[in-house]
Amino acid sequence: MVGVDGSSSALHAARWAATEAARRKVPLSITHACMLIPVQVPPGVELPRPYADALTEQGREILAAALEAAREAAPGVDVTTELRGGAAAEYLIGRSASAELIVLGSRGLGGFTGLLVGSIAVAVATHGHCPVVVVRGTDRPQDAPVVVGVDGSPTSDAALAFAFDAAAARGTRLVAVRAWSDFAVDTAWKFVAALDWESIHSVETRLVDQQLDAYRSRYPDVPVQGVVVRDRPAHTLLELSQDAQLVVVGSRGRGGFRGLLLGSTSQALIHHSASPVAVVPPTRQ
């Protein structure tokens, strides 16, 4: 399912979603939600037609443009459109319980100038029940890698499974990144100078290999590169997003606070990534 609002970002998301639906061999649903906000008309002024009717017509035009963009991107995909009333974020979050994937543009028509990502994208990525892709950046070559952040957490396992599927569907390689320093070393506590960084690096490398081994046999045709770096996860993943066709992260990693629904790394990526970002929640039990 892709949510659209008539913005260029939403049209880009519709094209991306159609191409992804073709890869998955599934139908695509394009949805637009109209929020009917009460409007006061000055006394003596008559509107040429009801405000609700105008919103409905605008919604149909938005859906028609998105439908055209989707069909151009993936002519063989079964595409339907849906016009809904009410809040877009609330509706998409509800639909995410039965959807395979929710796709959104990075910023819609309601955003303020300079706002890096729309409030609806943040809300759905935070509360969605299925993976949510926020489409950012421009198209990458087909051989560009899929990049995934791993840290050994259950959410990280869900992200890794999604990333392997994505790499296999695209016929490209997977880069699994473990960035194991959440602080700037130069300004951190004095004791860090005495740590055995080589030993820590070896331990982290073994942990990444163990996590990848669970998937290598299931995806023998996907070349996998494990990368272990001493850096902040968001910083490393943002750098790698410059050359990736998709970056995949869990909704909340090992370092998140209890009750935090969307981790700091995920938030940084959906705001600043140079490529589309998939935010994957823990596997449903």
Side-chain angles (χ1 to χ4, degrees), residues 1-283:
M1 171 173 282
V2 58
V4 297
D5 65 357
S7 64
S8 59
S9 176
L11 288 178
H12 186 33
R15 288 187 285 267
W16 193 97
T19 302
E20 183 67 13
R23 290 192 188 101
R24 294 168 177 254
K25 297 180 173 58
V26 297
L28 172 66
S29 175
I30 304 175
T31 185
H32 173 71
C34 296
M35 174 64 81
L36 186 60
I37 301 173
V39 176
Q40 288 188 340
V41 180
V45 176
E46 293 186 4
L47 295 175
R49 56 178 170 163
Y51 176 58
D53 291 350
L55 272 183
T56 299
E57 181 179 341
Q58 181 186 53
R60 288 176 180 151
E61 291 177 355
I62 288 171
L63 287 172
L67 177 62
E68 181 180 359
R71 285 178 170 166
E72 287 178 355
V77 172
D78 179 17
V79 186
T80 58
T81 61
E82 185 178 22
L83 184 61
R84 302 286 303 187
E90 182 179 349
Y91 177 68
L92 289 168
I93 291 167
R95 283 297 304 272
S96 71
S98 58
E100 187 170 316
L101 186 69
I102 298 288
V103 181
L104 296 166
S106 59
R107 188 164 69 91
L109 290 175
F112 295 99
T113 300
L115 192 64
L116 296 174
V117 69
S119 59
I120 292 175
V122 173
V124 179
T126 302
H127 300 285
H129 304 286
C130 72
V132 175
V133 172
V134 179
V135 180
R136 300 185 55 83
T138 56
D139 294 335
R140 295 288 193 275
Q142 289 298 313
D143 60 349
V146 172
V147 174
V148 58
V150 297
D151 64 6
S153 67
T155 307
S156 169
D157 280 331
L160 191 55
F162 183 97
F164 264 101
D165 279 340
R170 289 162 172 75
T172 192
R173 60 192 174 94
L174 177 66
V175 179
V177 181
R178 171 67 172 118
W180 46 270
S181 177
D182 283 319
F183 50 81
V185 175
D186 292 339
T187 58
W189 301 284
K190 293 180 180 180
F191 77 85
V192 297
L195 292 177
D196 186 347
W197 295 115
E198 291 186 4
S199 295
I200 296 175
H201 187 276
S202 297
V203 170
E204 296 293 340
T205 299
R206 285 197 300 271
L207 291 175
V208 171
D209 286 340
Q210 290 172 6
Q211 197 171 8
L212 292 176
D213 284 344
Y215 296 92
R216 282 191 172 107
S217 59
R218 290 159 50 187
Y219 298 88
D221 297 329
V222 176
V224 185
Q225 176 188 2
V227 176
V228 177
V229 294
R230 193 178 79 192
D231 193 8
R232 289 160 292 173
H235 181 260
T236 296
L237 291 170
L238 286 172
E239 283 192 339
L240 292 174
S241 75
Q242 299 291 332
D243 299 312
Q245 60 175 299
L246 179 67
V247 176
V248 184
V249 289
S251 57
R252 185 168 68 89
R254 192 170 59 185
F257 294 101
R258 185 187 299 271
L260 188 65
L261 296 177
L262 192 65
S264 60
T265 298
S266 305
Q267 291 197 50
L269 284 162
I270 66 174
H271 281 85
H272 301 288
S273 176
S275 61
V277 177
V279 179
V280 183
T283 304

